[in-house]
């Protein structure tokens, strides 16, 4: 089953800061679960999402380098926090911070990934959007490897990993942080 990805409208869908968006995929990124908010914000019906690759939500403004880093981390069993611009079925977009839970079977082999998302704060979007635009342009001209090289140099200058950069920029604090941690516990 394939789905045609919509064209971006340029219109942003606003998320409430307390909205918790959760999805679960297998190790290949195929969606096996989405909570009510995930289904609602995506614009797809639940039966359209289940069994589909999660990248049906990928916005063309998102650098491939960021997804490469995310998948590299979680497939190696390491959590990563990321800021992602997703594309709904309508073509509208929404910005989220994403944190992962890696589920393993009894033998310790990774079997699923659970992504926990919240609305990305405006200050985070303002900081990340120009970086992502630069990475996308580099990818168009020179490919993903050069985009990764640029990102690594950008992060070296800050003396941080991507995960540290995003956590420093976007990790939920205060009551939002407590709610986010409780939500993650609920799914475990």
């Amino acid at each position: 089953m394939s789905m045609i990805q919509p064209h971006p409208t340029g219109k942003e869908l606003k998320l409430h800061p307390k909205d918790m968006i959760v999805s679960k995929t297998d190790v290949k990124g195929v969606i096996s679960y989405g909570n009510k908010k995930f289904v609602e914000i995506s614009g797809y019906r639940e039966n359209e999402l289940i069994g589909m690759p999660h990248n049906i939500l990928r916005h063309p403004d998102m650098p491939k380098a960021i997804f490469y880093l995310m998948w590299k981390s979680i497939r190696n069993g390491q959590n990563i926090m990321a800021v992602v611009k997703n594309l709904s079925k309508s073509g509208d977009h929404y910005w989220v911070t994403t944190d992962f839970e890696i589920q393993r079977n009894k033998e310790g082999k990774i079997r699923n990934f659970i992504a926990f998302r919240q609305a990305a704060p405006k200050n985070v979007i303002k900081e990340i959007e120009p970086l992502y635009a630069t990475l996308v342009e580099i990818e168009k001209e020179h490919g993903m490897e050069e985009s990764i090289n640029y990102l690594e140099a950008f992060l070296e200058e800050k003396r941080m990993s991507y995960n540290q950069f995003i956590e420093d920029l976007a990790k939920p604090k205060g009551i939002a942080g407590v709610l986010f941690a409780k939500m993650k516990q609920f799914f475990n």
Side-chain angles (χ1 to χ4, degrees):
M1 178 163 78
S2 66
M3 212 173 271
I4 297 170
Q5 196 161 14
H7 295 286
T9 64
K11 180 182 173 206
E12 183 174 0
L13 295 170
K14 301 293 181 188
L15 295 170
H16 190 279
K18 291 183 182 175
D19 284 343
M20 300 293 177
I21 302 166
V22 182
S23 65
K24 183 176 182 177
T25 69
D26 66 12
V27 294
K28 294 180 181 177
V30 175
I31 301 168
S32 59
Y33 169 79
N35 73 348
K36 184 178 178 181
K37 193 64 186 175
F38 174 75
V39 173
E40 176 188 316
I41 196 71
S42 77
Y44 293 96
R45 294 185 317 272
E46 187 174 32
N47 66 326
E48 290 179 298
L49 290 168
I50 304 303
M52 293 300 295
H54 206 285
N55 66 10
I56 65 168
L57 301 174
R58 185 177 292 182
H59 195 287
D61 289 351
M62 278 301 298
K64 292 175 186 162
I66 300 303
F67 289 107
Y68 172 82
L69 289 177
M70 285 184 352
W71 279 104
K72 181 179 174 188
S73 292
I74 62 176
R75 283 186 175 141
N76 285 326
Q78 301 167 335
N79 186 23
I80 186 170
M81 181 176 269
V83 176
V84 177
K85 183 178 187 179
N86 280 334
L87 186 66
S88 72
K89 185 177 183 179
S90 69
D92 298 344
H93 67 272
Y94 56 100
W95 284 94
V96 290
T97 57
T98 303
D99 195 9
F100 292 91
E101 187 69 38
I102 299 162
Q103 295 186 321
R104 299 175 184 272
N105 63 19
K106 291 177 184 176
E107 293 78 39
K109 188 175 178 183
I110 296 172
R111 65 183 168 104
N112 295 304
F113 303 114
I114 301 178
F116 299 92
R117 298 176 197 84
Q118 287 185 291
K122 286 288 172 212
N123 66 309
V124 172
I125 297 166
K126 186 177 178 182
E127 178 93 16
I128 212 76
E129 205 166 19
L131 172 63
Y132 283 8
T134 299
L135 295 174
V136 167
E137 285 305 310
I138 292 169
E139 287 172 5
K140 286 178 185 173
E141 293 291 321
H142 306 288
M144 186 178 70
E145 191 172 317
E146 287 304 318
S147 177
I148 291 169
N149 290 340
Y150 179 91
L151 180 60
E152 287 173 349
F154 173 87
L155 294 168
E156 281 174 17
E157 185 178 336
K158 294 185 174 298
R159 300 181 191 276
M160 314 180 147
S161 68
Y162 175 80
N163 194 51
Q164 290 167 325
F165 174 62
I166 297 302
E167 279 191 2
D168 188 54
L169 195 61
K171 189 167 187 166
K173 296 168 182 66
I175 191 73
V178 171
L179 290 171
F180 197 72
K182 294 230 181 263
M183 181 187 64
K184 285 181 75 172
Q185 285 177 340
F186 173 77
F187 277 89
N188 289 320

